[in-house]
Amino acid sequence: MCSCGEAEQDTAHILRDCRNHQVLREEIWPFPESLHNKLYGPVAALQRTTNYISRSGLEV
Ligand SMILES: [Zn+2]
């Protein structure tokens, strides 16, 4: 279970929905970005994802 208490802590939840990380998510993706691009590139999109996970403090 995710620490937000709302869902399972899976990849899609963390990258797309989790309210615990909403501020960081809006900073890193101030534009719409598909879950597919967040996970599978291009490189600039993957670097954003890496930055997000790193700054979120989550253990991966
Ligand atoms: Zn959550």
Side-chain angles (χ1 to χ4, degrees), residues 1-10 13-14 17-21 25:
M1 201 67 188
C2 183
S3 60
C4 72
E6 290 183 345
E8 203 172 314
Q9 192 187 50
D10 62 14
H13 174 72
I14 294 297
D17 304 318
C18 186
R19 63 186 165 90
N20 284 358
H21 305 292
R25 200 162 49 236

